Amino acid sequence: MSEMETMNWRTGGTWIACLLAGAVMFGAGVVPMDDNDDEAEAAPPAPVTVRDAGEVRDEVLRAAEALSAEARALAEPLEEGEQRRLQAVVMSVTGRAQWRPDAEAAWRNAEVDDVLDSGAMIRTGGRAGLILRVGKNATIQVDRNTRLTLPEIVQDGATLRTRAGIERGRADFKVDEIGLTNDFTVTTPSTTLAVRGTGFGMRYGGLDGTQVVAARTNEMASIELTYFLSRVTVLLSGAAISSDRQQNPVLAALFQTVGPPRAFTAALEDTDMVEDLAEAFERNPIADQRQVDVALASVQDTFDLPIFTQPPVDDGDDFLDSFDPSDPFAPDGGEELFTLLVGFICQQLTPIFESFETGLLNAELVSAVPEQFGQTFSNIMAICDASETYTESDWIGIFDQVINFCQSITKSPEQASLCVNIFGEALIEQFESGAFEQFIIDNLNFQ
Amino acid sequence: MIRFCLGVFLLLGVLLQNGCAMERTTAESSVVDSYATPDDELDFLDALERRRVVTNHDAIHALLMAAEPEAHEDLPTDYESRVNRARQRGWVKEDAELPPNESATVGMIAVAVCDMLEIKGGLTMRVFGPSPRYATRELIFRQILPRRTDNQSMTGLEFIDLLSRVQERMEVIRAQRAREAREVEEENRAATEVAPADEAT
């Protein structure tokens, strides 16, 4: 029995208990107390119809069954491709809080039971707060001085998709598992956080940027937070904070206590070191040629490693954990090689994806091109467009996108792993075509 | 050597002459000019968020609203009276000139925050009072403010962030006060309930 069903039966059980208790009281002729005893004596109470116990029991069971069915229907997935718009309901309001249906509409004061559609914007004042039930699976507590948007609240097939944006201030989120796939994303002007199901708080302000904090309801439990691009996983509890500036809460606390380590720029003040660095960066044709060789050898080594041919590990998500992408490139200018690799993928993204698509269809992993395919392509393009100089985190970010895509279209870790392998083969295909060698030669002077 | 000394004197002269003429950023207007009443609080915050610098007028208005949340009806309604209220609370020196549309200093804001959060500070601050410099350092020490100097200005978004932190801490102070009052009340009640029994024995 799923968690949701268990919950329904628990709820149903409580309901049955209440109704049975009511029925017993009713059947035993318990009537409400009347304050006016004289009137009670004057007018004898109306005769109480004692219903058959079996009849009451059947009625209660029917009602409980209907309630349970209703709850189960809420957690039923829709047909694939079918979408249903969901709404948010204001559960509680404190102080000055307003909302509007879209960016053009006028603000109106928030009241309990107000129903908000996708696209709604909410704002709160200095001593204000607001609690929203969003869709079927989430609760949001909007803190003071906050402006929050809800661009999307939909059920898409078996997925509950919710987008929340914190433009300013803080909001606490509780995302429940109800048997459907959660696709809950919180964005701030600097960060996007994907949530699978947890309670946490997120705030955005001018002083420290985005911060992920333990939810106010979460004083002792921990939050596991994985940064999408860097794949850094941190655990939070109590008052710990993880921010995009300092992801590790332990280091954040340490820096707050003793200050950050000496910055690299400070080290440059040392004249000798500047000269060493200048020498290290000095280029000559021989070094360039060596760089090409190293790059090609590294790539060859990398793909000779069991990256794309490795049998599936526990799940597709652990795919990249099985190797250290920095290792084949260290210590000879690893970051520059990542710049090359990611740059190459970005440049050849269209042919790589065409080959990827063909591979997926040939392997019969999909019968038609899934809709997430285009989104994955766009997401990788976004990584490509985000900066001019790429790093290891971009490389990992691209593979994260591929892994997420593969997990979303397949039903088992084996299939997910095969899907990622197909992407790898598509990539190698481009390498083998000689395009990568030419790309390196064309980009020797990259910085 | 003589040429070097002359150069230094000339440089000092230029610095003295021009240094005195350095001015703070001045905005064309303040947000509070358009959203002056407490009822406009949400529009005020939205407009302030987009400002690149917070002016003295906006800062004092917002700080007074936060400092006196129970007395919004009694808040001053024009700049002069707002500055006077700030002087009464010790946020601004008696002789300080504060053009309304000039950028507010972190130091002035920090002094106000120390007052609102009842921060007494370290030895220097206790002896010489909450000067902008030491109030700023105190807030940095308490991690309410990131590393800043007292002469810097703040953007609207930064100021709102700071305001939220201050209001959160004020709520904690209020809750502590309420708990202490409740405890005292319970102790008094317990004392009065026990007293007759003691007399009886």
Side-chain angles (χ1 to χ4, degrees):
Chain A
M1 189 181 287
S2 72
E3 193 180 333
M4 182 59 206
E5 284 170 327
T6 311
M7 190 182 76
N8 288 339
W9 280 108
R10 279 187 201 140
T11 315
T14 312
W15 207 76
I16 290 169
C18 292
L19 281 180
L20 282 176
V24 169
M25 286 172 73
F26 189 64
V30 178
V31 292
M33 295 286 287
D34 196 331
D35 291 340
N36 192 338
D37 291 337
D38 296 340
E39 273 185 24
E41 282 172 14
V48 175
T49 309
V50 179
R51 295 162 70 191
D52 177 49
E55 189 187 335
V56 172
R57 182 176 164 277
D58 289 346
E59 192 175 318
V60 168
L61 284 177
R62 271 197 303 276
E65 183 59 36
L67 184 69
S68 178
E70 197 176 324
R72 273 202 299 268
L74 279 175
E76 282 292 319
L78 302 175
E79 293 293 321
E80 197 173 331
E82 187 187 349
Q83 279 198 353
R84 182 184 295 162
R85 285 189 175 187
L86 303 176
Q87 292 172 312
V89 182
V90 177
M91 309 289 286
S92 149
V93 183
T94 315
R96 279 193 195 96
Q98 295 182 329
W99 69 277
R100 59 182 178 184
D102 54 64
E104 305 302 322
W107 291 100
R108 60 183 80 166
N109 289 332
E111 289 174 11
V112 173
D113 291 340
D114 279 353
V115 177
L116 283 61
D117 287 314
S118 296
M121 303 175 81
I122 299 144
R123 64 178 184 176
T124 55
R127 293 186 76 191
L130 184 138
I131 296 176
L132 286 168
R133 180 70 185 168
V134 181
K136 296 177 179 178
N137 66 332
T139 310
I140 303 179
Q141 184 177 4
V142 185
D143 200 27
R144 65 168 58 78
N145 295 336
T146 297
R147 199 171 61 246
L148 179 115
T149 57
L150 292 169
E152 193 175 19
I153 322 167
V154 293
Q155 180 174 355
D156 185 357
T159 303
L160 291 170
R161 194 160 62 238
T162 310
R163 305 274 178 267
I166 301 175
E167 297 180 355
R168 175 187 82 213
R170 168 180 173 152
D172 288 40
F173 300 87
K174 186 171 180 296
V175 184
D176 302 319
E177 298 280 359
I178 64 161
L180 298 172
T181 308
N182 286 339
D183 178 7
F184 194 99
T185 308
V186 186
T187 58
T188 67
S190 67
T191 306
T192 299
L193 186 76
V195 185
R196 289 182 184 169
T198 184
F200 68 100
M202 198 162 176
R203 64 184 177 211
Y204 177 77
L207 297 174
D208 284 320
T210 301
Q211 291 185 316
V212 178
V213 294
R216 293 222 161 94
T217 52
N218 180 8
E219 292 297 321
M220 56 172 288
S222 63
I223 295 171
E224 185 176 335
L225 177 72
T226 302
Y227 280 88
F228 184 65
L229 288 179
S230 61
R231 288 180 66 83
V232 169
T233 300
V234 295
L235 295 171
L236 304 177
S237 61
I241 295 173
S242 173
S243 67
D244 47 8
R245 290 187 190 175
Q246 186 48 257
Q247 296 170 354
N248 187 330
V250 179
L251 285 180
L254 183 69
F255 288 175
Q256 282 179 354
T257 311
V258 299
R262 200 172 176 218
F264 180 70
T265 47
L268 287 178
E269 289 166 11
D270 188 346
T271 321
D272 294 338
M273 186 174 280
V274 173
E275 284 173 7
D276 290 342
L277 283 170
E279 201 175 313
F281 283 114
E282 198 173 306
R283 292 181 179 280
N284 60 55
I286 297 171
D288 283 344
Q289 185 55 50
R290 192 185 303 130
Q291 193 179 18
V292 174
D293 293 340
V294 168
L296 289 172
S298 299
V299 171
Q300 192 57 46
D301 286 349
T302 306
F303 296 121
D304 282 344
L305 287 171
I307 299 174
F308 297 112
T309 54
Q310 190 172 348
V313 281
D314 294 344
D315 60 59
D317 199 29
D318 287 334
F319 172 78
L320 275 176
D321 296 340
S322 58
F323 81 107
D324 177 8
S326 63
D327 192 40
F329 308 119
D332 298 323
E335 285 303 308
E336 290 184 353
L337 289 168
F338 281 115
T339 304
L340 275 177
L341 281 170
V342 178
F344 173 73
I345 292 175
C346 291
Q347 197 190 55
Q348 300 291 323
L349 200 57
T350 304
I352 290 171
F353 261 71
E354 283 170 358
S355 180
F356 186 26
E357 182 186 330
T358 312
L360 288 176
L361 292 169
N362 289 344
E364 295 182 350
L365 278 179
V366 291
S367 53
V369 181
E371 59 176 288
Q372 300 98 313
F373 195 82
Q375 185 59 48
T376 307
F377 181 91
S378 305
N379 290 347
I380 295 177
M381 279 304 288
I383 293 173
C384 293
D385 293 341
S387 61
E388 291 177 8
T389 306
Y390 304 111
T391 62
E392 182 185 350
S393 66
D394 297 315
W395 165 261
I396 293 170
I398 287 174
F399 275 90
D400 267 346
Q401 287 292 341
V402 175
I403 290 167
N404 286 344
F405 164 76
C406 287
Q407 283 181 330
S408 70
I409 63 158
T410 54
K411 292 175 181 170
S412 68
E414 287 80 6
Q415 286 184 341
S417 185
L418 175 62
C419 168
V420 180
N421 282 346
I422 291 171
F423 179 82
E425 283 162 10
L427 187 55
I428 292 170
E429 205 174 286
Q430 294 303 314
F431 284 133
E432 288 175 350
S433 69
F436 186 54
E437 190 172 357
Q438 187 57 45
F439 178 83
I440 288 182
I441 293 167
D442 292 344
N443 291 276
L444 272 179
N445 293 322
F446 69 87
Q447 290 296 322
Chain B
M1 185 64 187
I2 294 169
R3 285 177 66 187
F4 174 76
C5 289
L6 274 173
V8 169
F9 278 121
L10 273 173
L11 186 64
L12 279 174
V14 169
L15 280 176
L16 282 172
Q17 202 170 19
N18 291 339
C20 295
M22 284 171 68
E23 288 180 358
R24 298 189 62 77
T25 307
T26 303
E28 286 183 4
S29 63
S30 294
V31 176
V32 68
D33 297 339
S34 308
Y35 305 107
T37 66
D39 289 339
D40 295 330
E41 181 193 6
L42 299 180
D43 291 321
F44 172 79
L45 288 172
D46 278 357
L48 186 64
E49 180 195 331
R50 293 189 290 271
R51 288 297 181 107
R52 294 189 70 82
V53 289
V54 175
T55 63
N56 286 319
H57 198 174
D58 287 339
I60 291 173
H61 172 65
L63 289 166
L64 281 174
M65 277 208 300
E68 302 174 16
E70 313 293 350
H72 272 183
E73 302 305 320
D74 302 330
L75 284 175
T77 52
D78 60 84
Y79 182 62
E80 285 308 316
S81 47
R82 284 186 184 115
V83 172
N84 284 339
R85 181 72 66 89
R87 286 204 172 99
Q88 285 168 9
R89 297 190 64 124
W91 298 352
V92 181
K93 282 185 181 174
E94 288 297 326
D95 55 347
E97 282 187 22
L98 286 179
N101 295 335
E102 193 177 82
S103 63
T105 62
V106 169
M108 187 273 282
I109 294 168
V111 171
V113 170
C114 284
D115 171 52
M116 291 157 71
L117 298 182
E118 300 165 21
I119 294 172
K120 304 293 180 211
L123 181 66
T124 314
M125 201 164 136
R126 281 168 195 262
V127 171
F128 297 105
S131 68
R133 175 177 167 78
Y134 284 99
T136 306
R137 289 164 67 109
E138 190 64 30
L139 295 190
I140 293 168
F141 170 71
R142 288 170 186 260
Q143 296 168 13
I144 297 171
L145 202 62
R147 287 188 182 278
R148 295 290 161 98
T149 60
D150 50 320
N151 278 322
Q152 281 182 285
S153 55
M154 297 185 93
T155 66
L157 191 60
E158 288 173 339
F159 181 72
I160 293 171
D161 198 354
L162 176 66
L163 209 58
S164 299
R165 294 175 186 200
V166 173
Q167 285 169 326
E168 195 174 316
R169 282 169 171 78
M170 285 174 71
E171 245 172 48
V172 173
I173 293 172
R174 263 197 297 274
Q176 281 173 343
R177 290 267 163 76
R179 194 178 66 180
E180 284 164 11
R182 216 168 34 244
E183 283 171 358
V184 170
E185 196 179 319
E186 279 171 12
E187 277 174 18
N188 289 342
R189 193 186 305 132
T192 52
E193 282 171 4
V194 168
D198 288 344
E199 283 170 10
T201 55

